[in-house]
Amino acid sequence: MAALLELDNIRKSYGTGTAVETEVSHGIHLTLQPGEFAALIGPSGSGKSTLLNIIGLLERASAGSLKLSGVEMTQASEDELTRARLTTLGFVFQFHNLLPAFTALENVQMPGLVLESDFTAPRRKEALTLLEAVGLKGAEAKKPGQLSGGMQQRVAIARALALSPKLVLADEPTGNLDTKTADDIFVLLRRFNVERGTAFLVVTHDPDLAARCDRVIRLVDGKIAADAKHEAGEPLA
Amino acid sequence: MMKLGFEWKLALRFLGEGRFQSTLIIAGVTLGVAVIVYITSMLAGLQGNMIRNLLDTQAHIVVRPPDEIVRPQLPSADTARAIQPRAQRVLSIDNWQTYLRYIERVPSIIITSPLASGSALAVRGEATRGITLFGVELERYARIVALRDKLQEGEFRLGAGEALIGVELAKDFALRMGDRFNITTEAVSEPFLVSGILDLGNRQANRTNVYINLHAGQNLLKLPGGITSLELRVGDIYKAETIAQELQAGTGLKVESWMTTNGQLLSTLRGQDVTTIFIRAFVALIVVLGIASVLIVSVVQKQKEIGILRAMGASRGQMTRVFLMQGAIVGVIGFILGSVLAYLLIEAFITFVKGTDGNPIFPIIFLPETALSTCLLAIAAGVIAAIAPARRAAKLDPAQAIRG
């Protein structure tokens, strides 16, 4: 099977051409297979967010190659990147995840609205199913402001899965939550991974969470320092 | 066709979310539209009224015999000479029936009326007054100058030996219906019977204008079968000058339109038009700046949401259109409310601002084309105002917006 994501010698510099040019990613090689559940860990400033933004097609790499489902994306136009984000990727962020003016249900339908310019009946049905799956049956009509942090994050997960992406990128999805809620959210991500075969790349600070992933990629100083597959539940090496 | 469901829903929600800001900009557009519609309508009413009053009392086009000119006998231009222009006599248009037939065939001319006009003296007992005689075919003439509405007393007819006179002359001569007075010219003096008294809306005209039938006019003015002018009414009053020039070229007679004889009034009206255009432009500019500044603030406030939408896969074009559409929506709502406000202002003006006779000073006309052009202006203002904010929203780097 073709790899879902292939990074080859990805480099990222900021302030290119100025006196303060800084390279934050130094030649990253990484391959993700469909259905993988991987954690991306590393100390602050190690370049996790930058790498996630590059994989999420929100930032362009300064050099190297990025293939998504076998398609080279480094030379893609802005519109092609936008389209790929919509149809192939899902995002869950730590903060500011939802649109406060829309209800939980509408937030989950939002990718469908972007794609089809309408809230269609099939998308609505799917959104209801997803909300039920994340345990929010009954909260469909609530606005984000009326939901707890954990509930908002569940809505965000349901939204990330709305158009059945191949890969969901989660940036500290539990970083803002208490332990119990964080655990619930993690279980939910894992369940979608198993049930739908969606690949996940989860950035986290939490070693316990990382230990429960199939693969742990450790980033130090903009390089991959360790990349290990292991059985979920084993302690990290 | 491009589907705009996403842009439409987002624009409405964003506006609904920032309710206070939205209210402010809509109020701004409303006031702007109200000012523009009110001023335009008022000016249309005022100008329409001025022109109507003016053209109630004069023909749109007057055809006269050409001026008499002096033709010197000396053939050479080398000889020093001073040519004194000659005084113009009361002259008839030679062969006027031929010209009349020619003019009547011009399609833009609605009605023609021959007129034998000149000065004379009105005499009653010891009293005399200088008057202007109008020898007319009354039915035709009344379709050119709205005389019938001006009748105050008596009957609107001009039989043989009958005259219609103004209220001032009637007062000066103590004339009432059926009374007699004499009209004297250098040729003859004839008695006339007052058949009706007119209020022409102007003291001078009320004192001097005396209407008699065409035949009597020709006799008194020594113009048997002749006329001094042809009075014309055209369909489009603003084409009068063009038509007059065409007629002058076609007949060789002296043809003048109301636009030439009232040049000053027309310049005044044009000046008003230009002023209104300036006012409209500045009001529109203020509205644009108001909308733009509020929408810019809104983009800054919503930068995280814009970032999320962009990350999710909304395109730059979609985000641009979300903000352009907010501008357009503000424009449409502002236009509707502004038109209502303008309508109320106009009603208030008509109800409360009255002339000495208890009638509104002048009618205000709410023109559909004003409404349409203002609607387009409001939408254009909204969209133009939204361009800068929309570009800003589209340019937001989603990664930075979410992190920020």
Side-chain angles (χ1 to χ4, degrees), chain A residues 14 49-50 53 56 58-59 78-79 82-83 85-87 89 91 93 95-103 106-107 110-111 113-119 143 159, chain B residues 2-7 9-14 16-17 302 304-318 394 397-404:
Chain A
Y14 289 104
S49 290
T50 302
N53 284 342
L58 295 170
E59 283 183 47
E78 178 65 32
D79 283 347
T82 304
R83 194 74 186 173
R85 286 205 296 271
L86 180 62
T87 54
L89 301 174
F91 290 88
F93 304 103
F95 302 112
H96 319 302
N97 244 321
L98 302 176
L99 302 175
F102 290 85
T103 65
E106 286 166 338
N107 264 287
M110 195 54 67
L113 181 64
V114 173
L115 183 68
E116 288 152 358
S117 229
D118 203 1
F119 286 137
K143 296 265 176 83
R159 188 193 57 202
Chain B
M2 187 188 276
K3 285 167 82 178
L4 295 172
F6 168 78
E7 290 85 341
K9 287 187 174 67
L10 265 287
L12 280 183
R13 287 298 168 89
F14 279 4
E17 201 178 12
K302 296 203 158 43
K304 299 233 161 63
E305 291 162 72
I306 295 164
I308 292 164
L309 284 163
R310 291 275 291 119
M312 195 189 289
S315 67
R316 287 197 169 159
Q318 282 177 315
D397 174 8
Q400 236 167 22
I402 296 162
R403 203 181 305 137

Side-chain angles (χ1 to χ4, degrees), chain B residues 168-223:
Chain B
E168 291 293 326
L169 184 65
K171 203 163 75 185
D172 287 354
F173 275 16
L175 286 169
R176 306 178 63 172
M177 235 37 61
D179 286 349
R180 273 173 197 285
F181 69 106
N182 281 327
I183 297 179
T184 308
T185 62
E186 48 183 294
V188 272
S189 177
E190 280 183 18
F192 283 85
L193 204 71
V194 177
S195 61
I197 294 173
L198 307 168
D199 183 355
L200 299 163
N202 168 316
R203 182 172 294 223
Q204 186 61 24
N206 278 335
R207 185 161 284 156
T208 61
N209 289 14
V210 173
Y211 300 89
I212 56 179
N213 77 35
L214 180 62
H215 196 66
Q218 289 168 334
N219 277 344
L220 282 169
L221 296 167
K222 266 202 316 190
L223 297 165

Side-chain angles (χ1 to χ4, degrees), chain B residues 37-180:
Chain B
V37 171
Y38 178 75
I39 285 192
T40 312
S41 304
M42 197 178 77
L43 203 70
L46 178 68
Q47 297 193 344
N49 200 48
M50 282 169 88
I51 292 175
R52 196 170 326 108
N53 285 346
L54 178 77
L55 295 183
D56 263 7
T57 58
Q58 58 177 250
H60 297 169
I61 296 177
V62 179
V63 181
R64 293 198 177 83
D67 282 344
E68 290 186 283
I69 50 169
V70 179
R71 291 193 181 76
Q73 295 300 307
L74 291 169
S76 157
D78 299 338
T79 318
R81 61 187 183 188
I83 299 168
Q84 191 175 11
R86 59 174 301 171
Q88 302 293 317
R89 298 171 294 170
V90 174
L91 278 186
S92 172
I93 301 175
D94 287 336
N95 210 1
W96 62 270
Q97 286 88 348
T98 317
Y99 290 119
L100 182 65
R101 280 196 293 278
Y102 171 80
I103 291 167
E104 277 175 338
R105 280 204 298 274
V106 178
S108 42
I109 289 164
I110 295 174
I111 183 92
T112 58
S113 174
L115 171 69
S117 175
S119 46
L121 218 55
V123 184
R124 189 177 200 219
E126 304 274 297
T128 57
R129 288 282 185 280
I131 57 166
T132 307
L133 267 186
F134 291 84
V136 295
E137 291 176 7
L138 189 61
E139 285 310 315
R140 272 170 171 261
Y141 191 71
R143 289 184 58 192
I144 289 188
V145 173
L147 278 186
R148 194 183 297 272
D149 309 339
K150 313 240 152 82
L151 186 72
Q152 269 213 328
E153 253 182 89
E155 280 181 51
F156 193 72
R157 64 180 155 83
L158 285 178
E162 286 182 328
L164 290 166
I165 62 171
V167 282
E168 291 293 326
L169 184 65
K171 203 163 75 185
D172 287 354
F173 275 16
L175 286 169
R176 306 178 63 172
M177 235 37 61
D179 286 349
R180 273 173 197 285

Side-chain angles (χ1 to χ4, degrees), chain A residues 111-139:
Chain A
L113 181 64
V114 173
L115 183 68
E116 288 152 358
S117 229
D118 203 1
F119 286 137
T120 61
R123 296 279 176 219
R124 184 188 153 84
K125 203 169 154 226
E126 197 188 347
L128 286 169
T129 312
L130 280 166
L131 277 177
E132 196 179 341
V134 298
L136 285 179
K137 194 172 163 64

